[in-house]
């Protein structure tokens, strides 16, 4: 199984990624990592949000609130990534955003970090199909249960 990474993001940016339109995360350094990225809402708030936060966003703190696929990374250029991209930063490109059914309390960290097996287990319990479903999500260890398939 591939390693899953997590990223702590200040509020309201974490909510803007998971519940809103933000598909670029601004970072001071590039990353070579590609794949499943858990979005952890940090305890701190960033006061310079552009555009304004949506009052319907939950504003969870100190918890993993969703996941995304980190699909690319590029240096900011003039006019790229309007609205959410900052100049003089690296833009981490996010896709396939999914909110967790319930926020998962967790301690964050600077930069990319590796979540514990307990965190991954708790996320699997929220995201994986029941044994009657056949969807596979190998990114976090979900496999369909073929032994309990329905008989024709």
């Amino acid at each position: 199984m591939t390693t899953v990474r997590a990223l702590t993001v200040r509020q309201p940016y974490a909510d803007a990624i998971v519940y809103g339109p933000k598909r670029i995360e601004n970072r001071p350094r590039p990353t070579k990592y590609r794949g499943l990225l858990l979005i952890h809402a940090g305890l701190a708030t960033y006061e310079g949000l552009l555009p304004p936060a949506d009052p319907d966003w939950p504003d969870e703190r100190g918890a993993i609130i969703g996941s995304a696929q980190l699909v690319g990374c590029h240096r900011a250029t003039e006019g790229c990534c309007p609205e959410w991209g900052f100049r003089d930063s690296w833009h981490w490109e996010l896709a396939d955003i999914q909110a967790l059914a319930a926020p998962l309390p967790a301690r964050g960290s600077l930069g990319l970090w590796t979540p514990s097996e307990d965190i991954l287990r708790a996320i699997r319990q929220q995201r994986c199909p029941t044994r009657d479903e056949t969807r596979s999500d190998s990114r976090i260890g979900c496999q369909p249960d073929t032994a309990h398939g329905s008989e024709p």
Side-chain angles (χ1 to χ4, degrees):
M1 178 173 37
T2 346
T3 302
V4 174
R5 299 288 182 181
L7 184 67
T8 299
V9 179
R10 289 181 179 182
Q11 285 291 27
Y13 285 121
D15 279 354
I17 291 169
V18 175
Y19 307 109
K22 188 173 190 284
R23 298 298 177 257
I24 294 295
E25 174 57 17
N26 299 284
R27 292 288 155 161
R29 293 179 194 81
T31 182
K32 292 182 181 182
Y33 176 76
R34 301 294 182 270
L36 186 64
L37 184 66
L38 302 179
I39 306 299
H40 176 266
L43 296 173
T45 300
Y46 183 80
E47 300 298 332
L49 180 73
L50 299 170
D54 186 317
D56 293 332
W57 292 342
D59 194 31
E60 262 319 307
R61 306 292 174 114
I64 295 171
I65 61 172
S67 67
Q69 286 292 318
L70 179 53
V71 296
C73 177
H74 65 271
R75 187 80 155 125
T77 59
E78 189 65 36
C80 84
C81 308
E83 193 170 33
W84 293 104
F86 289 172
R87 294 174 20 167
D88 302 323
S89 66
W90 287 88
H91 295 172
W92 293 16
E93 303 163 21
L94 306 174
D96 190 25
I97 313 296
Q98 297 180 15
L100 289 181
L104 179 62
R107 179 180 222 120
S109 184
L110 293 175
L112 285 175
W113 51 278
T114 304
S116 70
E117 189 54 43
D118 288 343
I119 290 172
L120 294 177
R121 191 176 305 109
I123 290 172
R124 277 193 291 272
Q125 289 175 346
Q126 285 193 40
R127 291 186 54 186
C128 293
T130 64
R131 73 171 70 184
D132 295 330
E133 298 178 56
T134 58
R135 190 179 136 246
S136 173
D137 191 346
S138 61
R139 296 173 298 186
I140 56 171
C142 299
Q143 297 298 324
D145 186 349
T146 55
H148 295 89
S150 60
E151 293 290 327

